[in-house]
Amino acid sequence: MSNGTDSSPPHSLGKGKGKDEHESRKGEETPVRKSQKEMTKAERRALQEKQRAEKEAMKANSAQQKAKGGSANAAKPTPTKPMVNATPQPKTKSINSKEDKKPKQLGLFAHLEESKGPSGVTAPKELHPAIMSLGLQFSEFQISGSNARALATLNAFKKVIRDYQTPPHTTLTRNLQHYLNPQIAYLVNMRPLSVSMGNAIRYLKYEISILSIDLPDEDAKALLIERIDQFIRDRITVADKMIVDFGLNKIQNNDVILTYACSSIVQSLLLEAHTKGISFRVIVVDSRPKLEGITLMKRLTQAGIKCTYVLINAVGFVIKEVSKVFLGAHGMFSNGAMLSRAGTAIVAMMANHQKIPVIVCCETYKFSDRVQLDSFVYNEIGDVEEVASADRPSASGNIKPTRTQHSTLSDWKAIPDLRLLNLLYDLTPSEFITVVISEVGMIPCTSVPVVLREYRPMVQ
């Protein structure tokens, strides 16, 4: 009998009730986490404190674990190490350290050669005593000047050839050049070759190469010595006399002649002009560190020639009274440029600016087929201590101390950013040279390649 109300089965009621209780318990176990935006200030503060406490607890646990590990390792004996002073000791440079021996060079001129001296050169096993003595004289600048160095080199090789003995199972023509190569290399190491020395050595090698194989050794050596004497006579001695004869036509009475440093051929020309009775005056321009003009001035004044001695910084004051400029040359290149002592280009430039003729005296054996545009490509570096020294050479060529023994640059090596440079030569452009006097006559400087081409048998 129904009372009009819906009634569900008992098992369905129990099932629905259990489901509701399960969902309510599940909601209690996993509460929904609010975002920080939905939290109040108090809830956010409590969350931050909770996170901070968890981090501190983790740090404390890690520290305890490390302490336990350290106590376990402490039980094991460890070898004791000697006590070392913790304070670093300052590094002291030894006297023979590489830094002290390394020269302070300029990067732009690092490729240039310089005189190494006997301490920096290893002598070959079969070095001739004459070559060893000559190399020492070159390195100490006891022999200077293109002609003097070429003459000394040829005379030394005459002694080498005279004492040479051909080994068995070979010929003089093939073995002599191999024997001379170490001798030449030794001279190059002691001091770089000049243009005149290079041409003289090239001539000697050419004469050796054209010797007949069938010629006996004694006859071959005698022939080579004769060829060397012929080269000295024709290319240096007679050539200088012819240059003097040509140069006399350029010197007139009441001339004021300016010259730079000390050139042997210019000195011979001036002395010969004075002997001929020509009245003139000479202005000798000089510069440090060599001060070679002192030697020239002394020789000219002893001969009775009126001289004025000035340093190169005074050229601008005396150039206005000069009528002619005579210069010596270390070498002449195919483009007409002249290589000579450092400072020659300044003198030639000042004379050219004042429309004064610049006359260069140079033998043809100093002509070179090389082309050079500046003084950086090919040059020679001298001893930088000469620049730093306060001493000066006397008229005899010996070093004479000045009044002040202490030089401003005496401790230049202790200054880190200071570099010294002592270039021995400079390049004079062809536009500053009026004429070149050689044994073939008076020629323009641009005719150097013509002489090399037309007179090749003589210039070779």
Side-chain angles (χ1 to χ4, degrees):
M1 184 174 193
S2 173
N3 56 3
T5 59
D6 294 333
S7 61
S8 57
H11 63 274
S12 63
L13 292 174
K15 185 177 180 180
K17 184 178 179 181
K19 184 177 180 180
D20 294 340
E21 291 177 358
H22 177 72
E23 290 178 355
S24 62
R25 284 196 302 268
K26 185 177 180 181
E28 291 177 359
E29 291 176 359
T30 58
V32 179
R33 186 173 180 178
K34 297 181 180 180
S35 62
Q36 291 188 1
K37 292 183 179 180
E38 297 176 352
M39 292 181 182
T40 61
K41 291 183 179 180
E43 291 175 346
R44 284 198 297 269
R45 191 179 298 109
L47 179 62
Q48 292 175 358
E49 291 178 358
K50 182 179 178 181
Q51 292 176 351
R52 190 180 298 109
E54 291 177 355
K55 289 182 180 179
E56 291 178 357
M58 292 175 62
K59 289 181 181 179
N61 292 334
S62 62
Q64 290 178 0
Q65 291 178 0
K66 289 182 180 180
K68 290 180 180 180
S71 61
N73 294 331
K76 299 180 181 180
T78 56
T80 58
K81 295 183 179 180
M83 296 295 294
V84 180
N85 190 5
T87 58
Q89 297 293 333
K91 296 182 179 180
T92 58
K93 294 183 179 180
S94 61
I95 298 177
N96 297 325
S97 63
K98 294 182 179 179
E99 295 182 0
D100 295 339
K101 291 184 178 181
K102 185 178 180 181
K104 299 170 67 175
Q105 294 182 347
L106 290 171
L108 181 61
F109 304 95
H111 65 284
L112 298 180
E113 298 178 345
E114 58 183 327
S115 176
K116 298 179 182 179
S119 59
V121 178
T122 302
K125 185 182 298 184
E126 298 180 354
L127 184 64
H128 195 275
I131 300 298
M132 179 179 291
S133 175
L134 182 64
L136 293 174
Q137 291 175 334
F138 282 167
S139 64
E140 296 175 359
F141 287 84
Q142 295 180 3
I143 300 177
S144 60
S146 297
N147 287 340
R149 293 177 66 188
L151 283 171
T153 302
L154 291 174
N155 289 326
F157 279 119
K158 284 170 58 178
K159 298 178 182 179
V160 174
I161 294 173
R162 189 178 293 112
D163 298 338
Y164 169 77
Q165 297 294 331
T166 306
H169 309 294
T170 185
T171 60
L172 182 141
T173 306
R174 295 181 178 179
N175 186 260
L176 182 56
Q177 287 199 20
H178 296 289
Y179 178 75
L180 293 180
N181 287 335
Q183 321 284 334
I184 299 171
Y186 176 79
L187 293 178
V188 173
N189 290 330
M190 295 298 287
R191 187 185 171 187
L193 297 180
S194 62
V195 177
S196 59
M197 291 175 61
N199 290 337
I201 292 173
R202 193 176 298 110
Y203 168 81
L204 177 59
K205 288 186 175 182
Y206 171 75
E207 291 295 334
I208 295 174
S209 64
I210 63 175
L211 285 175
S212 176
I213 299 178
D214 300 330
L215 195 65
D217 289 354
E218 295 300 326
D219 295 342
K221 291 192 291 185
L223 181 59
L224 286 177
I225 294 174
E226 181 183 352
R227 294 295 187 186
I228 293 175
D229 291 335
Q230 182 181 354
F231 182 89
I232 294 174
R233 182 183 68 250
D234 296 343
R235 307 302 305 282
I236 301 178
T237 306
V238 176
D240 288 349
K241 292 181 180 179
M242 297 180 67
I243 291 174
V244 169
D245 292 339
F246 286 125
L248 288 175
N249 299 326
K250 294 297 181 181
I251 301 178
Q252 300 174 357
N253 287 321
N254 300 323
D255 271 347
V256 179
I257 298 173
L258 184 143
T259 185
Y260 178 71
C262 181
S263 172
S264 60
I265 184 62
V266 174
Q267 173 185 315
S268 301
L269 173 60
L270 297 177
L271 292 176
E272 184 65 21
H274 179 71
T275 305
K276 296 292 183 181
I278 303 175
S279 177
F280 59 93
R281 185 165 62 91
V282 178
I283 298 178
V284 180
V285 181
D286 207 357
S287 65
R288 292 189 72 248
K290 294 295 184 182
L291 296 176
E292 297 173 312
I294 297 177
T295 304
L296 177 62
M297 181 192 64
K298 180 180 178 181
R299 294 171 181 173
L300 295 180
T301 52
Q302 287 177 349
I305 301 176
K306 297 179 181 179
C307 294
T308 302
Y309 180 83
V310 297
L311 292 179
I312 196 170
N313 55 345
V315 173
F317 297 97
V318 300
I319 196 68
K320 297 179 181 179
E321 55 182 299
V322 174
S323 56
K324 296 180 182 68
V325 175
F326 282 87
L327 299 173
H330 180 81
M332 294 294 300
F333 297 121
S334 292
N335 60 337
M338 176 182 66
L339 188 71
S340 189
R341 293 170 179 83
T344 305
I346 298 177
V347 176
M349 179 185 65
M350 295 293 293
N352 179 75
H353 181 70
Q354 296 292 332
K355 308 300 181 182
I356 299 172
V358 177
I359 303 170
V360 176
C361 301
C362 182
E363 301 86 348
T364 55
Y365 85 103
K366 297 180 184 177
F367 289 4
S368 174
D369 54 1
R370 189 169 67 241
V371 174
Q372 188 167 335
L373 301 177
D374 53 47
S375 304
F376 303 151
V377 177
Y378 173 81
N379 210 318
E380 183 181 349
I381 298 179
D383 187 8
V384 294
E385 294 295 339
E386 295 179 351
V387 179
S389 176
D391 299 336
R392 63 174 179 84
S394 61
S396 60
N398 299 324
I399 298 298
K400 181 179 180 181
T402 55
R403 295 180 181 178
T404 57
Q405 297 293 335
H406 179 73
S407 174
T408 307
L409 298 175
S410 58
D411 55 347
W412 68 275
K413 291 184 178 180
I415 305 175
D417 297 331
L418 179 61
R419 303 287 188 274
L420 297 184
L421 180 65
N422 183 16
L423 290 179
L424 298 185
Y425 304 105
D426 64 8
L427 194 77
T428 303
S430 59
E431 55 265 23
F432 295 161
I433 301 173
T434 306
V435 68
V436 177
I437 303 178
S438 65
E439 65 266 29
V440 298
M442 298 184 186
I443 59 174
C445 58
T446 53
S447 296
V448 170
V450 178
V451 174
L452 292 174
R453 182 177 67 249
E454 298 295 334
Y455 296 89
R456 177 61 63 180
M458 183 177 63
V459 178
Q460 183 69 37

